[in-house]
Structure formats: C-alpha cells, structure tokens
Amino acid sequence: LDGDGVGNRRELALGLAPDAADTDGDGLPDGEEVNVTGSDPRRTDSDGDGLDDRVAVRVHRTDPNRTDSDADGIDDALEVTLATNPNQADSDVDGVPDGFERAYGTDPRSAASLPPLVSSMDESFEAGVLPVGWRVDALSDAGFSPTAEGSFTGRRALWTPALDAGEDAGIELRGRFVAGTLRMRIRVDGDVPAVFVDDVLQPAINSAAWTEHEIALSAGPHVVRIAYVGTRNGRGDGRAAIDDV
C-alpha cells in the first residue's frame, strides 16, 4: 500500500503499518530499515544511543544498531557532542583511543594532548591518595583505597573494604606504557582476585602473603584492572590489597 519496499503481509508480520512508508517517523523508510540498515523500523532510535536512526545514517554515517560504532568506549551521541569522530576510535590519530583519553583526562581531539609515557613506576601509595592514572572501577560495588592496615613497603597499601559474599571491588591503572614488565605485590584474605590487561584475564594469585605478580605489557596504551569478589562463606571478611607497583 505505501510503496516502501516491504510487502503488506511482511509489514503486518513485523508489526509495521502497511499504509505508512515510515512507521516510526524517524526519516528512514521502512524498506530501507528492513532491507539495508537492519535497524528497527518501529523505533526512531534503534540502538538507544541518543541519535535518531536517520541522523545516524544520513548525517554521521554511524551504525544505527550500535551505541558505539567505533568501539572506542564513547557512545556515538556523546562523540557528536564532544566533536570527536564516532567512526574512528582514535579521532586525533595519536595512538591512544578516544575513550582511553577521556577517562585519563587528556583531549581526544588533539594529538598534542597525550597521557604521559610511563617508562618506570615506583608506587607504594604513601601519599594516601590514588596516584595519577589510577581510579576506582565505576562498575564495582567498592574500590581499593590507600590504607595503613598492613603493607609490603612503607605504611600504606591499596586495600579493599571487607566484602560480603558476592560483593566486588575493582581498581584500574591506565597508562601509555613502554614495552616491559609491570610488577606489583598482591595479597588476599579470601578468594582469588582477577587481574585483567585490556579485559584479558591474567594468571591468578591466591596467597595471604604478599606475592609478586608480573604483567608483560607491549608498548602503547593499556588498562590494567584488578577485581576482587568477596568470600563465598558470607562472613563479610574478604579483602585484597595491592602494593609496591
């Protein structure tokens, strides 16, 4: 009936209006959404990223089915607001992805604005605050904080609070590293912590004594994340600590 390139029976089967060429009114005809873009002809913003499908396809040339078309860690609509390129993970082509730069605090639009190159590190958290490049994992129930409750070097180490069964704590170290080995001391009072480099799980450590953990890093930007989940016994006494990085 509407000449949108989708037969009436198929439109009815898909829940579309056979007498309206653009059922959701987003500016993309139903036929284009069904046969070309694969977006949802019943929703103006198929992926829910804040960009209507027509704006995504016609204006910004982004994927209307993915909130983050270039997989850089910043949703497409926010990239448009920030004036970064939603189709290029590294807008300023400086070797550091946009999402990494935004989390670190540098400008993803300027190649002159880069996280400092880390060629060495000697951190025992004696200042009592998280050093530059470290931050609590926002998706965790709790974080690690510099606490004078037992350390390998000095007075302080990064400790989780006491966690009950199923509760988790996480912390991230972001940096632009030279190739080498990152070493840290880890101890746990309970279950095994998980160490990730760029979301790749590393060999685990499970020791109530301070144990050195080595992580091989290639040259470039990396996110090292340490996650710990409270003991399964429900006593609320599971803890983990990091020191001497």
Side-chain angles (χ1 to χ4, degrees):
L1 292 176
D2 52 21
D4 61 2
V6 185
N8 293 339
R9 289 185 179 179
R10 191 178 181 195
E11 291 214 75
L12 292 172
L14 294 173
L16 307 179
D19 57 351
D22 182 10
T23 298
D24 56 11
D26 63 359
L28 290 183
D30 293 347
E32 184 173 354
E33 296 213 58
V34 171
N35 300 317
V36 180
T37 66
S39 49
D40 189 341
R42 299 164 302 177
R43 298 179 60 193
T44 58
D45 180 7
S46 294
D47 54 14
D49 66 355
L51 296 178
D52 285 355
D53 292 345
R54 182 193 65 80
V55 174
V57 173
R58 299 274 197 270
V59 178
H60 300 293
R61 302 293 193 267
T62 55
D63 187 339
N65 302 297
R66 298 177 62 190
T67 58
D68 181 7
S69 294
D70 56 10
D72 64 356
I74 307 177
D75 285 356
D76 293 346
L78 182 54
E79 293 224 53
V80 170
T81 300
L82 296 173
T84 52
N85 187 342
N87 291 301
Q88 185 166 302
D90 180 10
S91 294
D92 54 12
V93 199
D94 62 2
V96 184
D98 295 347
F100 188 102
E101 289 212 59
R102 185 166 185 267
Y104 195 92
T106 52
D107 187 349
R109 301 166 301 177
S110 170
S113 176
L114 275 170
L117 187 64
V118 180
S119 59
S120 65
M121 182 174 291
D122 185 8
E123 183 58 64
S124 60
F125 311 103
E126 294 304 296
V129 295
L130 288 178
V132 173
W134 294 80
R135 70 172 190 171
V136 171
D137 182 358
L139 299 179
S140 297
D141 297 319
F144 288 69
S145 59
T147 307
E149 297 186 38
S151 61
F152 182 81
T153 300
R155 295 180 56 249
R156 291 184 172 86
L158 290 183
W159 279 92
T160 70
L163 298 173
D164 209 338
E167 293 181 325
D168 69 295
I171 194 163
E172 295 179 348
L173 168 61
R174 291 175 178 262
R176 186 168 63 97
F177 297 91
V178 300
T181 301
L182 180 69
R183 296 179 176 87
M184 63 181 69
R185 301 279 178 170
I186 298 177
R187 62 169 288 184
V188 293
D189 298 330
D191 286 351
V192 180
V195 179
F196 300 86
V197 176
D198 304 326
D199 291 327
V200 177
L201 182 64
Q202 305 297 300
I205 281 182
N206 183 14
S207 174
W210 289 104
T211 304
E212 188 172 72
H213 190 86
E214 294 189 348
I215 302 169
L217 296 177
S218 59
H222 295 288
V223 179
V224 179
R225 179 167 58 91
I226 299 97
Y228 178 74
V229 179
T231 54
R232 300 185 183 91
N233 57 27
R235 293 199 306 263
D237 58 358
R239 303 189 72 189
I242 305 164
D243 201 6
D244 198 28
V245 181

